[in-house]
Amino acid sequence: MNMTKVGQNDSGQAALETAIIGNSPAIRQLREMIRRVARSNASVMLCGPSGSGKELVARAIHDEGIRAGHAFSAINCGAIPADLIESELFGHEKGSFTGATARRIGHFEASEGGTLFLDEIGDMRFDMQVKLLRVLEDRTIVRVGSSEARRVDVRVISATHQDLGAAIADGKFREDLFFRLGVVVLQVPSLADRVEDIPALIRHFQSRMPADAKCRFDEAALALLLRHDWPGNVRELRNFVERASVLHGGETLGADDVALLLNPTAPRPAAPTTTAGTEDVLLHAAPKTPAPGRPIDLKREIETIELEQIHVALDLADGIISEAARLLTLKRTTLIEKMRKYGVHQQAA
């Protein structure tokens, strides 16, 4: 019996270390806190900068807990139009408002028995904060256009990169909702606070790449990566690794190569010395030239460049799809379709 328990614990520990990459003191402490809070049903608030991996932490808490066999649902409160957030959370009845052509089940009902992750909770409008507080207190929801209260059993994990203390002082966020959401508050470290994890993270991001797409970094290049301030955090590193694989797959990169890849919006040395505006800063990757006697897959090359441009635009827009679409001169719906095509997931954490 004891051997079985040890085996299960070892398996759970391995799963968590696979989900939350790194061995820095900050990450070891975070994994220990995840194990502790996963044992309860308490509401958890994750605080940390954008791109630090708050949604991964939320999913790890879910996967480590007693609700692991049920649904995990994530919603970005800042990415949904204000007039639709109530319907997204609580659902609506047919005909309850213009465009409500059918009944819709909201995220609370869809997450029954599981976990609902509310990302960027600090962006939620004030009147919705009141309704969310009532749901958390009563454990019931009412669909838009209905008067029937429905009980829900959902664990809520929320996240924000904002200073909610300042928002509360300014009257923009309810203090009672903060205390209800943040029974436990976890700080997710920035990448700058755990730079020793960068080599492990690079290996993780490269693990699913073909062998000829993986880059290597010499000692000077790695030193530069460790000195970089990483304002976009783990999301920026992930996009850097993908950008490197697109432009330099199979090569060993030096410090100069890394410097250019870290600042893809900077003018290239061979380019005219003009100052680029925000709309003109997206990287224009040089097309590959076919080797003698070797064909080039033009469709794949075009898709690769398009994917890279999407990642760069999302970096510049801090994960906000509408702003990234503007930078790419695309309709928001067109960008969403392309993101689905390439498997790009919006990660505002």
Side-chain angles (χ1 to χ4, degrees):
M1 182 65 70
N2 290 336
M3 292 180 61
T4 302
K5 289 183 178 180
V6 170
Q8 289 173 346
N9 290 338
D10 289 345
S11 176
Q13 181 173 344
L16 185 55
E17 291 181 351
T18 300
I20 307 298
I21 304 295
N23 199 40
S24 62
I27 285 299
R28 290 200 302 269
Q29 181 180 18
L30 178 62
R31 280 198 293 259
E32 177 58 29
M33 292 301 296
I34 288 171
R35 292 187 184 99
R36 293 185 183 187
V37 301
R39 301 168 189 160
S40 75
N41 278 314
S43 298
V44 180
M45 178 173 287
L46 306 175
C47 297
S50 294
S52 56
K54 294 188 290 295
E55 183 171 341
L56 284 177
V57 173
R59 186 175 289 276
I61 293 172
H62 170 78
D63 290 343
E64 289 289 304
I66 59 176
R67 296 176 179 266
H70 298 276
F72 174 90
S73 182
I75 180 172
N76 188 318
C77 299
I80 298 174
D83 56 341
L84 294 180
I85 185 70
E86 184 174 2
S87 171
E88 287 288 330
L89 288 175
F90 310 138
H92 63 250
E93 298 291 346
K94 179 179 179 180
S96 55
F97 55 85
T98 302
T101 57
R103 172 182 289 175
R104 176 189 175 90
I105 301 299
H107 282 272
F108 266 95
E109 285 188 84
S111 306
E112 176 65 23
T115 302
L116 176 59
F117 175 55
L118 302 177
D119 199 5
E120 298 304 349
I121 191 68
D123 292 335
M124 181 175 285
R125 71 185 198 216
F126 203 80
D127 63 316
M128 273 304 302
Q129 294 177 30
V130 177
K131 295 179 180 179
L132 177 59
L133 178 63
R134 187 178 303 121
V135 169
L136 296 176
E137 293 287 354
D138 299 341
R139 296 292 169 180
T140 62
I141 60 101
V142 178
R143 294 178 190 156
V144 177
S146 173
S147 59
E148 179 185 351
R150 293 173 170 81
R151 293 198 63 80
V152 288
D153 173 24
V154 176
R155 182 183 196 173
V156 174
I157 301 176
S158 57
T160 182
H161 72 280
Q162 297 186 24
D163 181 351
L164 288 188
I168 291 170
D170 293 340
K172 296 179 180 178
F173 198 85
R174 293 183 62 98
E175 187 175 37
D176 48 3
L177 178 58
F178 170 77
F179 288 126
R180 193 68 185 83
L181 288 170
V183 175
V184 178
V185 178
L186 292 186
Q187 294 290 335
V188 181
S190 68
L191 185 56
D193 290 333
R194 46 179 292 223
V195 292
E196 58 265 55
D197 292 330
I198 286 175
L201 287 165
I202 290 174
R203 289 192 296 271
H204 171 70
F205 294 136
Q206 290 182 333
S207 62
R208 295 183 181 179
M209 292 180 178
D212 60 355
K214 297 178 182 179
C215 296
R216 295 170 296 279
F217 302 93
D218 67 19
E219 187 174 339
L222 187 58
L224 182 57
L225 290 174
L226 296 181
R227 291 197 305 269
H228 186 57
D229 55 4
W230 298 106
N233 292 288
V234 179
R235 182 194 298 133
E236 181 185 358
L237 177 61
R238 182 199 66 209
N239 290 349
F240 163 82
V241 172
E242 186 164 356
R243 187 181 306 127
S245 73
V246 169
L247 299 177
H248 302 285
E251 301 176 17
T252 297
L253 304 187
D256 290 342
D257 301 312
V258 167
L260 290 173
L261 288 166
L262 286 174
N263 190 11
T265 64
R268 292 300 186 259
T273 55
T274 58
T275 302
T278 303
E279 279 80 1
D280 300 319
V281 297
L282 296 179
L283 174 66
H284 293 282
K288 294 182 179 179
T289 302
R294 182 180 177 183
I296 188 169
D297 189 337
L298 181 60
K299 182 174 182 292
R300 181 180 177 184
E301 291 301 320
I302 292 173
E303 289 179 345
T304 298
I305 293 172
E306 187 172 54
L307 174 61
E308 179 194 359
Q309 298 284 34
I310 289 172
H311 276 311
V312 173
L314 287 170
D315 270 352
L316 291 171
D318 198 23
I320 300 173
I321 291 179
S322 56
E323 175 63 12
R326 186 184 71 81
L327 292 174
L328 292 166
T329 63
L330 295 175
K331 291 182 179 179
R332 183 175 182 274
T333 52
T334 302
L335 177 55
I336 290 173
E337 285 301 316
K338 289 181 179 293
M339 289 171 66
R340 288 174 180 165
K341 172 183 175 183
Y342 296 121
V344 177
H345 301 289
Q346 182 191 8
Q347 296 186 9

